Amino acid sequence: MDRDPATAWASAARDRAPWLELDLGEEREFGGLTLDWAPGLHARDYVVEGSRDRATWQPLREVRDGNGGRDDLFLPEREARWLRLRVRRAANQDHVALREITIQPLVYGSSLERFYAEIATHAPRGTYPRSSGISARGSR
């Protein structure tokens, strides 16, 4: 969460069940998460969980067969004080590394249309079809 592409959180070598826990400092509302994995060191299968009290965890999103790079997760109207990323299977059997995790604002998950408009702004031109409808900023 330091916005420095040269740094990363990495699991211990050969850790069979790596996880990362974030304390947001207070209960926060959010609309999604963006995970930027280090090349070749991504999780294939993982679950993102949220908690208000750090005792009871609720699954927010489960990902299977992830392909690394950037993972944009649609999490409409979620609230949590703590977030936890539990890796179930890594692409590299040795470990995983996450370069950045971004907690997205509520508007990011306000609708599927808004979500796709937001992620399209970061994708190479031509990845998503152009629209004459709503832009990422909501204007026509």
Side-chain angles (χ1 to χ4, degrees):
M1 298 181 77
D2 64 0
R3 300 177 197 253
D4 182 353
T7 63
W9 167 80
S11 64
R14 308 221 185 275
D15 186 347
R16 297 225 181 256
W19 56 275
L20 171 66
E21 185 177 292
L22 301 174
D23 180 352
L24 306 180
E26 63 186 1
E27 200 164 294
R28 288 184 51 186
E29 293 181 306
F30 50 94
L33 295 174
T34 300
L35 308 176
D36 286 311
W37 298 97
L41 298 174
H42 64 279
R44 287 244 186 254
D45 300 337
Y46 62 92
V47 63
V48 175
E49 300 169 317
S51 177
R52 292 181 171 180
D53 59 9
R54 204 175 178 204
T56 305
W57 293 88
Q58 182 176 48
L60 304 178
R61 177 72 62 224
E62 187 171 335
V63 174
R64 291 184 184 212
D65 297 322
N67 61 2
R70 180 184 172 110
D71 286 348
D72 291 291
L73 306 178
F74 179 66
L75 302 169
E77 296 185 36
R78 298 298 183 159
E79 248 180 76
R81 158 83 191 256
W82 287 272
L83 291 174
R84 183 166 62 190
L85 171 71
R86 285 190 307 116
V87 176
R88 293 185 170 158
R89 184 171 59 109
N92 175 325
Q93 295 303 315
D94 194 34
H95 68 284
V96 297
L98 188 62
R99 290 192 299 194
E100 194 69 38
I101 183 167
T102 305
I103 299 166
Q104 300 292 357
L106 273 174
V107 68
Y108 186 86
S110 61
S111 71
L112 277 173
E113 291 83 6
R114 176 62 63 131
F115 171 71
Y116 283 114
E118 291 288 339
I119 64 174
T121 64
H122 301 287
R125 188 171 175 86
T127 302
Y128 295 94
R130 294 186 67 168
S131 170
S132 60
I134 293 178
S135 73
R137 290 178 184 37
S139 62
R140 287 191 171 266

